[in-house]
Amino acid sequence: MDGLRLDGRVAVVTGGAGAIGAAIATDLSALGAEVVVADVRNAEAVAADLPGGRAAVVDLASPASVEQFSEAVGQVDILVHNAGVSIVEAFAESNPAGWDLMWQVNLRGPMLLTKLLLPGMLARRWGRLVFVSSDGARAGSGGEGAYAATKAGLFGLAKTLAREAAKAGVTSNVVCPGPTDTPMLHRVSAAEPGLVDKIARGIPLRRLGTPADVAGLVAYLCTDRAAYITGQTLSVSGGVTMH
């Protein structure tokens, strides 16, 4: 099928060593992209399994680390902002120090990295920006007030970039995973036995999402077949959220 290959494109996936990030990197690589797996740790293990894959250590909480990465990575055609930090706690009891970390990783880091890499896309008149947010940011999620707030900030950023970059052939979209079977979900639900099964029963499709479910949509948005899709926020939630 025409328009679904990414041969010759260079893609950066932040948080690329995590469950969803690794699935995204794998799908982009399978479509022919040269993938840079960017993470604070374990990026090499994921990149080693990708033809032509590269690994990079990037700490999104550190502007210096982000700037060093942007200078070293070279041409980037596809930028997938997948990295994220979540601290689960009731907002009234939350620690503002945790807010700062989530703001730095979940929102400021993507803003800075996009600012540094977007000019190259605009000059080449082709680019794809995909921001991985969360359905918790769209609908609210108990215990994730600060996390949801920082991830919700990606909506405004992505839509603004969609308007500003459209004339140069650069698209900008947001993908929002719903309940997804990842180590992070199991960690945050460990204190409440049976919670994961309860969540799955409440999903119309009666199962948790998988990293591959999310990766498939992200990969599609990076292809030429999705060239007319921009400024959109799309959920991968099994029907939990319907818009």
Side-chain angles (χ1 to χ4, degrees):
M1 188 181 294
D2 293 340
L4 290 175
R5 294 292 302 175
L6 292 171
D7 301 285
R9 303 296 187 187
V10 177
V12 168
V13 181
T14 69
I20 293 176
I24 293 170
T26 298
D27 276 7
L28 292 176
S29 179
L31 294 179
E34 177 186 332
V35 179
V36 181
V37 180
D39 214 317
V40 289
R41 62 184 68 85
N42 300 327
E44 295 85 355
V46 176
D49 290 333
L50 308 177
R54 289 188 276 159
V57 177
V58 183
D59 180 2
L60 291 179
S62 166
S65 178
V66 174
E67 290 172 6
Q68 289 169 5
F69 169 72
S70 69
E71 292 170 358
V73 70
Q75 174 179 321
V76 173
D77 304 296
I78 297 165
L79 178 54
V80 179
H81 292 288
N82 170 72
V85 173
S86 176
I87 300 173
V88 179
E89 55 190 352
F91 186 74
E93 302 166 5
S94 62
N95 186 338
W99 304 353
D100 289 343
L101 176 62
M102 286 183 278
W103 139 249
Q104 291 163 11
V105 174
N106 299 348
L107 185 54
R108 188 186 67 184
M111 291 174 70
L112 178 56
L113 187 56
T114 301
K115 178 176 172 58
L116 294 168
L117 297 182
L118 179 59
M121 297 181 189
L122 298 176
R124 293 185 296 274
R125 303 192 66 77
W126 196 97
R128 298 289 184 267
L129 301 171
V130 181
F131 299 85
V132 179
S133 181
S134 167
D135 255 17
R138 299 190 83 176
S141 178
E144 292 187 320
Y147 172 76
T150 57
K151 282 292 191 177
L154 296 175
F155 302 156
L157 174 62
K159 290 178 181 180
T160 298
L161 293 171
R163 294 187 183 280
E164 293 182 352
K167 290 182 179 179
V170 177
T171 65
S172 175
N173 293 288
V174 182
V175 171
C176 291
T180 306
D181 193 0
T182 64
M184 178 182 289
L185 174 66
H186 289 277
R187 282 197 304 271
V188 301
S189 62
E192 188 175 337
L195 178 59
V196 171
D197 290 338
K198 180 180 179 181
I199 292 172
R201 289 194 299 272
I203 297 170
L205 287 179
R206 294 298 190 272
R207 68 170 177 87
L208 296 176
T210 68
D213 291 325
V214 180
L217 176 57
V218 172
Y220 174 72
L221 290 172
C222 294
T223 68
D224 283 333
R225 275 298 178 98
Y228 203 57
I229 301 173
T230 195
Q232 303 305 307
T233 300
L234 304 168
S235 289
V236 183
S237 67
V240 171
T241 49
M242 298 188 185
H243 298 273

